[in-house]
Short mmCIF file of all heavy atoms in Angstrom, two decimals:
data_model
loop_
_atom_site.label_atom_id
_atom_site.label_comp_id
_atom_site.label_asym_id
_atom_site.label_seq_id
_atom_site.Cartn_x
_atom_site.Cartn_y
_atom_site.Cartn_z
N SER T 107 180.02 127.17 122.95
CA SER T 107 181.36 126.59 123.07
C SER T 107 182.07 126.64 121.72
O SER T 107 181.42 126.64 120.67
CB SER T 107 181.25 125.13 123.55
OG SER T 107 180.49 124.36 122.65
N PRO T 108 183.43 126.75 121.77
CA PRO T 108 184.23 126.98 122.96
C PRO T 108 184.12 128.45 123.39
O PRO T 108 183.69 129.29 122.62
CB PRO T 108 185.65 126.66 122.49
CG PRO T 108 185.64 127.05 121.04
CD PRO T 108 184.26 126.73 120.54
N PRO T 109 184.51 128.78 124.59
CA PRO T 109 184.49 130.19 125.00
C PRO T 109 185.54 131.04 124.28
O PRO T 109 185.29 132.23 124.03
CB PRO T 109 184.76 130.15 126.52
CG PRO T 109 185.32 128.80 126.77
CD PRO T 109 184.82 127.88 125.70
N ASP T 110 186.66 130.44 123.97
CA ASP T 110 187.73 131.13 123.26
C ASP T 110 188.27 130.22 122.17
O ASP T 110 188.38 129.01 122.37
CB ASP T 110 188.86 131.53 124.21
CG ASP T 110 188.43 132.57 125.22
OD1 ASP T 110 188.41 133.76 124.85
OD2 ASP T 110 188.11 132.20 126.36
N LEU T 111 188.66 130.84 121.06
CA LEU T 111 189.19 130.08 119.93
C LEU T 111 190.22 130.93 119.23
O LEU T 111 189.95 132.08 118.87
CB LEU T 111 188.05 129.71 118.99
CG LEU T 111 188.33 128.82 117.80
CD1 LEU T 111 188.90 127.48 118.25
CD2 LEU T 111 187.06 128.61 116.99
N ILE T 112 191.41 130.35 119.04
CA ILE T 112 192.48 131.04 118.31
C ILE T 112 192.80 130.22 117.08
O ILE T 112 193.04 129.01 117.18
CB ILE T 112 193.73 131.21 119.19
CG1 ILE T 112 193.39 132.03 120.44
CG2 ILE T 112 194.85 131.89 118.40
CD1 ILE T 112 194.52 132.12 121.44
N LEU T 113 192.76 130.88 115.93
CA LEU T 113 193.00 130.20 114.66
C LEU T 113 194.07 130.92 113.87
O LEU T 113 194.28 132.13 114.01
CB LEU T 113 191.72 130.22 113.81
CG LEU T 113 190.48 129.53 114.31
CD1 LEU T 113 189.33 129.78 113.33
CD2 LEU T 113 190.72 128.05 114.48
N GLN T 114 194.69 130.15 113.00
CA GLN T 114 195.58 130.75 112.02
C GLN T 114 194.73 131.11 110.80
O GLN T 114 193.75 130.40 110.46
CB GLN T 114 196.66 129.74 111.61
CG GLN T 114 197.96 130.33 111.15
CD GLN T 114 198.67 131.13 112.22
OE1 GLN T 114 198.69 130.74 113.39
NE2 GLN T 114 199.27 132.24 111.82
N GLU T 115 195.06 132.21 110.19
CA GLU T 115 194.32 132.64 109.00
C GLU T 115 194.25 131.49 107.99
O GLU T 115 195.24 130.79 107.75
CB GLU T 115 195.03 133.84 108.37
CG GLU T 115 194.18 134.64 107.41
CD GLU T 115 194.83 135.98 107.05
OE1 GLU T 115 196.07 136.07 107.04
OE2 GLU T 115 194.07 136.93 106.79
N GLY T 116 193.05 131.29 107.44
CA GLY T 116 192.85 130.22 106.47
C GLY T 116 192.25 128.96 107.05
O GLY T 116 191.75 128.10 106.30
N ALA T 117 192.24 128.85 108.38
CA ALA T 117 191.69 127.66 109.02
C ALA T 117 190.17 127.73 109.04
O ALA T 117 189.56 128.78 108.89
CB ALA T 117 192.25 127.52 110.43
N ASN T 118 189.56 126.56 109.27
CA ASN T 118 188.11 126.46 109.41
C ASN T 118 187.76 126.26 110.88
O ASN T 118 188.58 125.78 111.67
CB ASN T 118 187.57 125.27 108.61
CG ASN T 118 187.92 125.35 107.14
OD1 ASN T 118 188.04 126.44 106.59
ND2 ASN T 118 188.12 124.20 106.52
N SER T 119 186.54 126.61 111.25
CA SER T 119 186.13 126.44 112.64
C SER T 119 184.63 126.21 112.73
O SER T 119 183.87 126.56 111.81
CB SER T 119 186.49 127.67 113.47
OG SER T 119 185.82 128.82 112.99
N THR T 120 184.25 125.60 113.85
CA THR T 120 182.83 125.36 114.14
C THR T 120 182.53 125.86 115.54
O THR T 120 183.20 125.46 116.50
CB THR T 120 182.50 123.86 114.06
OG1 THR T 120 182.79 123.38 112.76
CG2 THR T 120 181.02 123.63 114.36
N LEU T 121 181.53 126.72 115.64
CA LEU T 121 181.09 127.24 116.93
C LEU T 121 179.73 126.61 117.23
O LEU T 121 178.91 126.45 116.33
CB LEU T 121 180.95 128.77 116.88
CG LEU T 121 182.22 129.62 116.95
CD1 LEU T 121 183.21 129.29 115.85
CD2 LEU T 121 181.86 131.09 116.91
N ARG T 122 179.51 126.32 118.51
CA ARG T 122 178.30 125.61 118.88
C ARG T 122 177.46 126.41 119.88
O ARG T 122 178.02 127.12 120.74
CB ARG T 122 178.66 124.26 119.51
CG ARG T 122 177.46 123.35 119.75
CD ARG T 122 177.88 122.00 120.27
NE ARG T 122 176.70 121.14 120.49
CZ ARG T 122 176.34 120.17 119.65
NH1 ARG T 122 177.06 119.91 118.57
NH2 ARG T 122 175.28 119.43 119.90
N CYS T 123 176.17 126.25 119.75
CA CYS T 123 175.21 126.89 120.66
C CYS T 123 174.20 125.82 121.08
O CYS T 123 173.49 125.27 120.22
CB CYS T 123 174.51 128.04 119.93
SG CYS T 123 173.18 128.85 120.86
N ASN T 124 174.17 125.52 122.36
CA ASN T 124 173.19 124.58 122.90
C ASN T 124 172.14 125.34 123.70
O ASN T 124 172.48 126.30 124.41
CB ASN T 124 173.87 123.56 123.83
CG ASN T 124 174.76 122.59 123.09
OD1 ASN T 124 174.58 122.34 121.91
ND2 ASN T 124 175.73 122.05 123.79
N PHE T 125 170.90 124.91 123.63
CA PHE T 125 169.86 125.57 124.41
C PHE T 125 169.00 124.50 125.08
O PHE T 125 168.86 123.39 124.59
CB PHE T 125 169.02 126.53 123.56
CG PHE T 125 168.74 126.06 122.16
CD1 PHE T 125 167.57 125.38 121.86
CD2 PHE T 125 169.65 126.32 121.14
CE1 PHE T 125 167.31 124.95 120.57
CE2 PHE T 125 169.39 125.90 119.85
CZ PHE T 125 168.22 125.20 119.56
N SER T 126 168.46 124.90 126.21
CA SER T 126 167.88 123.90 127.13
C SER T 126 166.40 123.61 126.89
O SER T 126 165.85 122.71 127.50
CB SER T 126 168.05 124.38 128.58
OG SER T 126 167.38 125.61 128.78
N ASP T 127 165.78 124.35 125.98
CA ASP T 127 164.36 124.15 125.76
C ASP T 127 164.05 124.44 124.29
O ASP T 127 164.90 124.95 123.55
CB ASP T 127 163.55 125.06 126.67
CG ASP T 127 162.16 124.51 126.97
OD1 ASP T 127 161.70 123.60 126.25
OD2 ASP T 127 161.51 125.00 127.92
N SER T 128 162.85 124.11 123.89
CA SER T 128 162.46 124.33 122.50
C SER T 128 162.44 125.82 122.20
O SER T 128 162.02 126.63 123.02
CB SER T 128 161.07 123.74 122.26
OG SER T 128 161.07 122.37 122.53
N VAL T 129 162.92 126.14 121.01
CA VAL T 129 162.90 127.53 120.57
C VAL T 129 162.35 127.58 119.14
O VAL T 129 162.49 126.62 118.40
CB VAL T 129 164.30 128.19 120.61
CG1 VAL T 129 164.86 128.19 122.01
CG2 VAL T 129 165.25 127.53 119.64
N ASN T 130 161.74 128.68 118.80
CA ASN T 130 161.31 128.84 117.41
C ASN T 130 161.98 130.03 116.74
O ASN T 130 161.61 130.42 115.64
CB ASN T 130 159.79 128.93 117.31
CG ASN T 130 159.25 130.04 118.18
OD1 ASN T 130 160.00 130.81 118.78
ND2 ASN T 130 157.94 130.14 118.27
N ASN T 131 162.93 130.63 117.44
CA ASN T 131 163.69 131.73 116.86
C ASN T 131 165.12 131.66 117.38
O ASN T 131 165.34 131.55 118.58
CB ASN T 131 163.10 133.08 117.27
CG ASN T 131 161.70 133.27 116.70
OD1 ASN T 131 161.55 133.62 115.55
ND2 ASN T 131 160.70 133.03 117.52
N LEU T 132 166.09 131.73 116.49
CA LEU T 132 167.49 131.73 116.89
C LEU T 132 168.26 132.60 115.92
O LEU T 132 168.00 132.59 114.70
CB LEU T 132 168.05 130.30 116.89
CG LEU T 132 169.47 130.11 117.43
CD1 LEU T 132 169.58 128.80 118.19
CD2 LEU T 132 170.52 130.22 116.36
N GLN T 133 169.18 133.35 116.46
CA GLN T 133 169.95 134.28 115.63
C GLN T 133 171.43 134.20 116.03
O GLN T 133 171.75 134.04 117.22
CB GLN T 133 169.41 135.71 115.84
CG GLN T 133 169.67 136.66 114.73
CD GLN T 133 168.82 137.93 114.82
OE1 GLN T 133 167.85 138.02 115.57
NE2 GLN T 133 169.20 138.93 114.05
N TRP T 134 172.32 134.32 115.04
CA TRP T 134 173.76 134.41 115.27
C TRP T 134 174.21 135.83 114.94
O TRP T 134 173.78 136.41 113.93
CB TRP T 134 174.53 133.44 114.37
CG TRP T 134 174.52 132.02 114.81
CD1 TRP T 134 173.70 131.01 114.39
CD2 TRP T 134 175.41 131.42 115.77
NE1 TRP T 134 174.03 129.84 115.01
CE2 TRP T 134 175.06 130.05 115.86
CE3 TRP T 134 176.46 131.90 116.55
CZ2 TRP T 134 175.74 129.16 116.71
CZ3 TRP T 134 177.13 131.02 117.38
CH2 TRP T 134 176.77 129.68 117.45
#
Side-chain angles (χ1 to χ4, degrees):
Chain T
S107 59
D110 294 279
L111 185 59
I112 300 174
L113 298 176
Q114 207 64 39
E115 198 168 30
N118 303 329
S119 62
T120 301
L121 283 57
R122 188 176 181 103
C123 175
N124 290 336
F125 37 94
S126 60
D127 206 344
S128 300
V129 300
N130 55 6
N131 295 280
L132 187 144
Q133 204 165 346
W134 282 97

